[in-house]
Every structure is written in structure tokens, then in C-alpha cells.
Amino acid sequence: MKKKVVSLLVAAMTVASLTACGNSGSDAPAANQEPAPAEKQEADPAPAESQAEAPAESQAEAPAPAADGGTISVGFAQVGHESDWRAANTKNYQDTFSAANGYELSFVDCDNDHAVQIETVRGFIEQELDYICIAPIQSAGWDTVLQEAKDAGIPVLIVDRAVDADPSLYTTALGCDMVAEGEAAGNWLAEYLNGGDANILVIEGSVGASATLGRTEGFNNIVSQNANWKVLDSQSGDFTQAGGQEVMESFIKSYSDFNVVVCQNDNEAYGAMDAMDAAGITYGVDGDVTIISFDATHDGLQYTLDGKITCNVECNPLQAGFAEDVIKKLQAGEAVDAWTLVVDEAFVAPGITSKYAVTMSQEVLDGRAY
Ligand code: AHR
């Protein structure tokens, strides 16, 4: 159905969100300074780093869309199809916002193109959809189109990644704490090396994405606490296997003295392993190079179980249920949290025990839903 007018009281939410931001105390973009929810909706046990103070709520004050029981239209401007994580996230949204569940989902794969994503959101506004979900390719550049959605009275959910726009311009945000993920990787490495030197190469994710900015910031927070660690180089592999392989091949030409490779997602790690295999460089628990990865998808955790990726920090892609909870609350005219944290955990190869991570086993792998 076409949307009816929905007006949200966002002022209180805005004040609370701004107050809750800035927990890192750094000058990083606001997108990475993520407050945690009052009503935490946990997908997995919480790592210690993921806790913070609670935001206020917003309240629907007018009849919600589809209050008559009709189909609810939802637009989803997805990042693209760059990774296994993204495929799992897309499937989760398509399964959740299905016709059988009472939704009409307009799904657009924006192919990692920010301009396409902005125009996609504009199209959703023109179509007067009931709700808009945006997984932002990059954190900057959102103010104008978010203002347009707000002017049109369409609730916007910022999902997975963050934006650095004023929170009064959107209804709610949900996703993982990317800074905490980077810190978890760094804390685990400090524990693992136990005072040993680290010459580190970083294969970053897509430029300008909050997942990249947050993981980089969080990991660097721990690097700065370890005087004998050095980041030799840090380049974008665009969250793809091909990108990871290309960056690793170029690193291998320039550096011979590295002992740690940090890949900001599993697909980059697969590419980096291909490059090291071709160069005869050994890696993993029995090799010369320690690989840290992010996402903890099924295949990534298989490599962790096999001892090739030594530590894999989760980013849970099963987030659509949190978005649906928000929409259901708005439908019922209830208040919603300004921010919902999707909680992660980390995993390490068999034979390693860590206070920061779960030791991998076949049982853990068999229990994975993605
Ligand atoms: O925003 C989540 C990140 O985006 C995942 O780590 C990565 O695999 C995806 O491309």
C-alpha cells in the first residue's frame, strides 16, 4: 500500500543520540561513535567492548502505514554484492520482508556506487514507500536525501553501516559496533603475541565505509598501545576477494618482513591467502604470518577451524529481524530506540585459548546460520 502520513517526534531522540555519541573520545567521524541501545537486542553473547549508554526513544504520533492490515512497502538500498557477508545479509532481508510476511520489498543492489544509492533512495521517496532501509556504502554525503525523506514523512532505518548525518534526519540506526570489532582484533593480537613484535599489513575495506573506518580506528587504538607494533602499510581491498589478492600481491612486492596480515573481511582474506600461496609464504597457526579476518562467515570460520585464519572477528549479517522489530513498533505507534546494537563475538583457531574469543570447533561451525 502507499504510505499514509507518519510524523515522528525525533527531537528527543536527536538530543539523546548526540549525547550518547563520542564514546571513543577521538576525532573520528561521528558515524563511528556509536551509542548502544537501551533495549539491547542481542543476536549473540556480547563482547565486553560493545556496551555503552542508552539513547532515548522516538514515538510515532500519527496512524502508521498499513494500519488497515494491508501490505507494508519497504525499500532497501543495499550496498551491493561484494562479499559473502553481503549475500547473507541480502538473503536475510529478502526472507524477512517477504510477501508471505505481509511486505512488498523493493530491493536495489547499488553495486557499491554512492551516487546510485542516493538516487535509489530518491526513487523510494517518489514511490511513497512506507519505510526505507539504507545500508550506506559510505558514511558521508547523506544530509540532503535524508532531509528529503524526512520532509516526505517516510521513516528511514540506517542499517548495517553508519552515516555521519545528524541523527534527527533518520528514524533509527542498527548494526554492529565496527570500532569494537577492530579493538577486539587488536586486543586478541596483543594477547596472542604476548609482548612479541608485530610488523603488520592491513587490507582495508571500501574507502569511506563506516565498517572500514571503524575497524581501522579500533585496531589502531590497540596498535598505539603497543610500542613494538608497526603498521607497515594499509590499503583498500574494497571488501572483495579480487581486491584482497591484488593488494596482497602488491604488499609482497614491497615488504618481506611482515608477520601479521589484517584483512577487514573474509573475502579479502581468501584473496590474501591466494597471493601468499602463490608467493610461497606460509600463514596460519603453523606458518610465518598470522592472519586476522572479520565477518566470521561460514567459509571464513572453516579456514579458522583449519588454522589458516588465526582469529576471525564476527560481524553478524542477520540484522533484518531488528529492522522488522522497529517497523512493527512504528506500525503500532510505539517508541523505538535511536540505536540497536547487533552484538558480535570473535573466534580463534583450535589450540588457542583467549579471553577475547571462542576457540573454534566443528560443533561451533555446524551451529552457524551463515
Ligand atoms: O558492512 C559490513 C561489511 O560489508 C562486511 O564486513 C563486509 O564483508 C561487507 O562488504
Side-chain angles (χ1 to χ4, degrees):
M1 68 171 281
K2 295 291 181 193
K3 73 174 285 305
K4 299 172 185 173
V5 177
V6 174
S7 173
L8 296 171
L9 289 177
V10 291
M13 178 181 79
T14 303
V15 171
S17 298
L18 291 171
T19 310
C21 285
N23 55 359
S24 72
S26 76
D27 57 358
N32 299 318
Q33 300 170 346
E34 295 162 336
E39 179 188 318
K40 188 156 60 91
Q41 303 176 40
E42 298 187 3
D44 280 307
E49 298 87 349
S50 298
Q51 315 307 322
E53 60 191 283
E57 297 176 321
S58 66
Q59 181 86 42
E61 64 171 4
D68 57 358
T71 302
I72 299 169
S73 57
V74 178
F76 183 24
Q78 174 63 292
V79 168
H81 50 275
E82 71 284 1
S83 64
D84 295 349
W85 187 100
R86 190 63 55 194
N89 181 251
T90 290
K91 181 176 185 313
N92 183 229
Y93 270 87
Q94 289 173 333
D95 288 349
T96 301
F97 292 103
S98 64
N101 288 342
Y103 299 99
E104 183 182 346
L105 179 66
S106 299
F107 175 86
V108 178
D109 175 334
C110 297
D111 202 16
N112 220 21
D113 186 324
H114 174 67
V116 167
Q117 194 169 39
I118 296 284
E119 286 314 305
T120 295
V121 173
R122 241 172 221 131
F124 292 158
I125 296 168
E126 279 166 21
Q127 293 168 61
E128 299 184 330
L129 300 188
D130 296 326
Y131 297 94
I132 296 174
C133 296
I134 306 169
I137 293 165
Q138 63 182 52
S139 56
W142 285 99
D143 298 69
T144 303
V145 76
L146 289 177
Q147 184 66 59
E148 291 167 17
K150 185 177 180 183
D151 292 345
I154 301 177
V156 171
L157 290 73
I158 302 295
V159 302
D160 165 26
R161 299 178 184 171
V163 293
D164 59 12
D166 187 325
S168 71
L169 294 176
Y170 53 88
T171 304
T172 193
L174 62 94
C176 300
D177 184 336
M178 308 297 188
V179 176
E181 290 178 4
E183 289 178 342
N187 282 324
W188 171 79
L189 184 62
E191 178 190 52
Y192 183 64
L193 293 177
N194 193 24
D197 294 344
N199 287 323
I200 304 164
L201 293 168
V202 179
I203 304 179
E204 296 183 18
S206 302
V207 174
S210 72
T212 303
L213 297 167
R215 289 170 191 166
T216 303
E217 178 191 333
F219 187 72
N220 285 343
N221 287 344
I222 310 305
V223 170
S224 65
Q225 297 167 15
N226 289 273
N228 57 337
W229 290 14
K230 190 173 174 192
V231 175
L232 301 172
D233 210 336
S234 190
Q235 302 287 338
S236 170
D238 219 7
F239 283 133
T240 65
Q241 180 164 346
Q245 181 170 349
E246 194 180 321
V247 171
M248 194 67 228
E249 285 167 353
S250 131
F251 281 164
I252 289 168
K253 285 182 190 146
S254 304
Y255 305 96
S256 56
D257 56 345
F258 59 91
N259 63 340
V260 177
V261 175
V262 178
C263 305
Q264 289 189 347
N265 81 345
D266 281 338
N267 291 81
E268 291 180 339
Y270 309 153
M273 287 190 282
D274 287 345
M276 285 191 273
D277 284 339
I281 296 169
T282 61
Y283 52 84
V285 289
D286 299 320
D288 292 333
V289 175
T290 297
I291 298 177
I292 297 174
S293 185
F294 292 83
D295 281 359
T297 54
H298 183 279
D299 289 359
L301 284 186
Q302 179 69 64
Y303 280 109
T304 311
L305 181 62
D306 294 344
K308 299 292 187 185
I309 293 172
T310 309
C311 177
N312 204 328
V313 180
E314 183 184 34
C315 182
N316 191 332
L318 306 183
Q319 303 184 0
F322 300 110
E324 188 186 30
D325 284 349
V326 167
I327 288 173
K328 281 182 171 169
K329 282 185 175 174
L330 293 172
Q331 288 293 112
E334 295 173 13
V336 298
D337 292 327
W339 161 248
T340 300
L341 174 68
V342 179
V343 175
D344 304 314
E345 56 188 339
F347 300 88
V348 285
I352 299 171
T353 51
S354 170
K355 64 181 174 185
Y356 299 107
V358 173
T359 302
M360 271 308 293
S361 64
Q362 188 63 50
E363 192 182 1
V364 170
L365 185 63
D366 291 345
R368 300 297 283 177
Y370 53 89

